[in-house]
Amino acid sequence: EEGRKFLRVEVSKVENGCAQFYAPLPAVDQPMKMRASLSARGGNAAQLDMGIRIAGAPYTYLWQTGPKLSGTWAELTYEFEVQ
């Protein structure tokens, strides 16, 4: 849309736990600046929990956030450093 490439994820129902999305990233072996941008909306004061974490136990988060969503589209951009 509007010349942007994107991946659309639609979750219509979660019966137990949560819906998860996985996208592999390069290995982090030194401090690295990153940017995450997304368009999101959700009904009934939905909360989006997102983060960058190590794949494999103990699944340690390097960065995370949890914005509340409304029924209207919001453009969200986060800039952060992981180590």
Side-chain angles (χ1 to χ4, degrees):
E1 294 180 17
E2 299 177 8
R4 298 186 314 175
K5 294 181 181 180
F6 65 94
L7 174 65
R8 182 181 303 269
V9 177
E10 182 175 333
V11 178
S12 59
K13 183 177 182 180
V14 176
E15 292 184 14
N16 186 17
C18 61
Q20 295 187 10
F21 172 74
Y22 168 80
L25 299 172
V28 177
D29 54 4
Q30 62 184 13
M32 180 184 302
K33 291 185 178 184
M34 303 181 95
R35 177 184 299 134
S37 298
L38 66 141
S39 301
R41 69 178 175 177
N44 299 323
Q47 179 161 340
L48 171 66
D49 294 319
M50 61 184 263
I52 306 295
R53 72 177 188 185
I54 303 293
Y59 304 101
T60 305
Y61 278 92
L62 302 176
W63 172 84
Q64 66 188 94
T65 188
K68 295 219 182 291
L69 302 175
S70 70
T72 59
W73 286 103
E75 300 295 324
L76 306 171
T77 298
Y78 300 96
E79 294 184 6
F80 51 93
E81 185 172 298
V82 296
Q83 300 186 43

